[in-house]
Amino acid sequence: MHESCGIFGIYAPGVDVSRLTFFALYALQHRGQESAGIATTDGKRIYLHTAMGLVAQAFTEDELGHLHGHIAIGHSRYSTTGSSHPNNAQPLLVETDSESIALGHNGNIVNAEFLRDELFQQGYSFSTTTDSEVIANLVLSSAERGLVRRIRHAMRRLRGAYSLVVMTKDKLIGVRDPMGVRPLCLGTIDSGWVIASESCALDHIGAQFVREVEPGEIVVITKNGVKSFTEQSNAKALCIFEYIYFARPDSVIQGRLLYPARQSMGAILHREHPVEADLVMGVPDSATAAGIGYSHASGIPYCEGLLKNRYVHRTFIEPDQRLRDLGVALKFNPLSEMITGKRMVVVDDSIVRGTTTPRVVSMLKRAGAREVHLRICAPPIRYPCFFGVDMASKWELIAAQKTIPEIRDVLGADSLGYLSIEGLIEAVALPKEIFCLACFTGDYPIPVQLEMDKLALEALPARGLSEIER
Ligand code: SF4
């Protein structure tokens, strides 16, 4: 399962903003690894560099040196709408005769195709296939006066998830959709300001966390400081997978540090699904904290049964089946001596298609594990995501097709236990009402449009979500 992007912005006169943006993107690399980019401005023009690959591959010292100015935005991308192509790398620079804006987007716009057609008919052209360019053109097309009003106008038309960093020649703007599906936070650095997907990016560059950008909020940073504007927000729908998997465990979201939240998931998993075993392990790295939580709660010793090759990045570099097969072996190496003859509790973050987990189970069994008891930090995923998480169509989701005992058999595990929705909410220790739980429940937080899409999806088993949207 993959998230869509990491975004960052900085307004800091007298500071090397391109270099700080580079290091902030480094900290946000886990949110997207297909392309990276930075746009800066010195007040006179906008400078832009984007490239395919990891942040470290996308920039040379020389390229950073050409990104002048005191305002910057940065983006690391995993494509959800629009293919993995250099043209679709962000930040996007969209220019009209009279103005230019650079934009970085994390999320997915549900009605992007409709809006694209409408803008196309109005004479707007598109140089990418991303929904992010739809947002930029929608802002520029507004007849309202002033950028904030035009953004508000666009927000009323957009349906879906969007956390944005927007840069003009004199402003840095952060925007979070009214449901707050993706996180966004605000911080200070020296005499300037920063905006980032996650607080861990602030920590790494020596910035101080101030607060989260609220759902529906527009934060405008100029030489006069920060101003906030709020678009009406009726229902909140923060993606619960930020807590389970996407965000880094050293990030704070809604005042909750993720590491202990994940430990609690493991502890509650033990309460809900205890088992007699010799060792507990978390599948590295995303389930490590939950594995430790299970171990503490159960008293079963924790062990690193699999070592992760941290220099092989997530296994979607080439998303075909042959390379997916290779991916698990490239990524993990079992510690046979530690696990031979042992009954293992293996804690993992989630099961989507159920294609990777059987390879992990068989790898552990081949390495000598006597029993493998899988414990999953998420409830069964039975519905696809409409908000920018590239998981699968309903017909590929194993929990939409099979019962839990059937899934256990497919995975080759000796037992299987999923965290309940109630247990998950207890672990994050925040009100259930602020979260999107749609991939577990099918209750999508955008009622009309999505219910229609959902019905269409049910009716067309052979087609995936992206085709329905189109
Ligand atoms: S459907 Fe699931 S993955 Fe998508 S935003 Fe909601 S909770 Fe997150």
Side-chain angles (χ1 to χ4, degrees):
M1 193 191 326
H2 306 300
E3 223 287 293
S4 45
C5 301
I7 57 174
F8 179 80
I10 178 166
Y11 188 117
V15 169
D16 187 347
V17 291
S18 61
R19 189 168 300 267
L20 285 179
T21 304
F22 173 84
F23 284 107
L25 291 182
Y26 230 103
L28 297 172
Q29 184 76 85
H30 57 288
R31 297 186 75 86
Q33 297 137 26
E34 284 187 6
S35 64
I38 296 175
T40 64
T41 183
D42 54 10
K44 299 189 190 84
R45 56 170 287 201
I46 290 178
Y47 306 85
L48 176 69
H49 177 79
T50 60
M52 299 303 286
L54 301 172
V55 176
Q57 297 164 329
F59 298 93
T60 63
E61 188 76 38
D62 193 43
E63 283 155 353
L64 275 185
H66 286 100
L67 294 169
H68 305 290
H70 59 285
I71 316 177
I73 62 171
H75 190 270
S76 61
R77 175 166 194 262
Y78 174 74
S79 59
T80 49
T81 302
S83 57
S84 177
H85 188 277
N87 260 6
N88 289 340
Q90 295 187 28
L92 289 170
L93 179 58
V94 181
E95 296 180 293
T96 66
D97 292 342
S98 56
E99 62 191 325
S100 314
I101 64 171
L103 177 142
H105 170 211
N106 174 203
N108 193 45
I109 302 302
V110 172
N111 60 343
E113 288 304 310
F114 173 82
L115 293 170
R116 177 189 293 269
D117 287 349
E118 197 181 88
L119 288 161
F120 199 71
Q121 280 163 22
Q122 289 171 24
Y124 286 85
S125 60
F126 291 85
S127 56
T128 77
T129 55
T130 65
D131 53 359
S132 313
E133 195 176 15
V134 173
I135 301 176
N137 275 329
L138 192 63
V139 171
L140 291 177
S141 72
S142 167
E144 297 278 353
R145 292 184 61 178
L147 190 55
V148 171
R149 284 190 179 181
R150 290 156 82 192
I151 290 173
R152 294 180 86 149
H153 177 256
M155 289 171 80
R156 288 175 204 140
R157 307 245 17 238
L158 293 166
R159 296 286 174 273
Y162 53 94
S163 281
L164 307 174
V165 282
V166 179
M167 188 184 76
T168 67
K169 288 176 192 162
D170 61 354
K171 293 181 188 68
L172 169 66
I173 300 175
V175 181
R176 195 164 170 211
D177 71 68
M179 296 185 301
V181 178
R182 295 286 151 229
L184 196 65
C185 66
L186 178 71
T188 55
I189 185 162
D190 300 339
S191 55
W193 293 88
V194 293
I195 296 168
S197 292
E198 289 179 40
S199 63
C200 67
L202 273 52
D203 300 335
H204 277 290
I205 61 166
Q208 280 76 48
F209 177 87
V210 173
R211 65 177 176 84
E212 299 205 7
V213 176
E214 295 298 324
E217 186 178 5
I218 305 167
V219 174
V220 181
I221 301 165
T222 63
K223 63 179 176 0
N224 300 320
V226 179
K227 275 194 177 167
S228 166
F229 305 84
T230 307
E231 196 54 29
Q232 196 179 358
S233 165
N234 291 326
K236 298 200 174 45
L238 173 59
C239 173
I240 195 85
F241 269 96
E242 294 288 348
Y243 287 85
I244 299 169
Y245 172 74
F246 296 144
R248 270 182 30 172
D250 53 340
S251 285
V252 175
I253 302 178
Q254 289 283 315
R256 181 87 160 112
L257 180 65
L258 268 60
Y259 191 92
R262 289 181 187 166
Q263 279 192 316
S264 297
M265 289 174 204
I268 296 167
L269 259 175
H270 169 254
R271 190 180 75 206
E272 294 184 347
H273 302 284
V275 64
E276 281 194 21
D278 305 307
L279 294 172
V280 179
M281 59 163 279
V283 176
D285 291 319
S286 50
T288 301
I292 291 169
Y294 195 106
S295 168
H296 287 169
S298 63
I300 302 169
Y302 189 80
C303 158
E304 283 193 76
L306 288 174
L307 278 202
K308 185 176 180 183
N309 179 359
R310 294 193 167 77
Y311 301 97
V312 174
H313 291 271
R314 294 184 182 188
T315 54
F316 64 87
I317 296 164
E318 286 290 340
D320 72 26
Q321 200 55 49
R322 187 176 63 82
L323 287 170
R324 271 195 199 129
D325 291 349
L326 266 183
V328 175
L330 283 171
K331 204 163 146 184
F332 298 122
N333 202 18
L335 289 171
S336 308
E337 206 171 300
M338 312 291 290
I339 64 178
T340 296
K342 299 288 195 296
R343 299 168 298 169
M344 307 282 304
V345 176
V346 177
V347 181
D348 204 354
D349 52 62
S350 54
I351 299 173
V352 183
R353 292 178 176 85
T355 50
T356 305
T357 316
R359 295 186 188 104
V360 173
V361 173
S362 71
M363 181 180 269
L364 289 166
K365 289 208 165 176
R366 276 200 313 273
R370 179 148 61 98
E371 294 172 10
V372 173
H373 300 277
L374 278 174
R375 297 294 179 266
I376 308 301
C377 295
I381 298 173
R382 297 198 165 100
Y383 301 89
C385 177
F386 289 80
F387 297 121
V389 177
D390 179 23
M391 41 167 73
S393 72
K394 179 163 182 178
W395 308 98
E396 296 170 286
L397 295 170
I398 191 166
Q401 306 301 327
K402 295 186 187 301
T403 64
I404 291 174
E406 286 170 344
I407 298 169
R408 178 201 60 210
D409 292 345
V410 169
L411 303 180
D414 294 278
S415 72
L416 171 64
Y418 286 94
L419 189 60
S420 66
I421 291 178
E422 295 68 31
L424 178 58
I425 295 298
E426 183 186 338
V428 296
L430 289 163
K432 188 176 180 182
E433 298 68 48
I434 70 167
F435 288 109
C436 174
L437 301 162
C439 48
F440 314 131
T441 63
D443 294 328
Y444 292 95
I446 302 179
V448 181
Q449 171 88 37
L450 284 180
E451 286 303 320
M452 284 166 59
D453 285 345
K454 206 170 77 176
L455 289 174
L457 194 69
E458 304 277 355
L460 289 167
R463 300 172 64 192
L465 172 62
S466 58
E467 291 167 270
I468 296 295
E469 283 177 356
R470 283 161 206 281

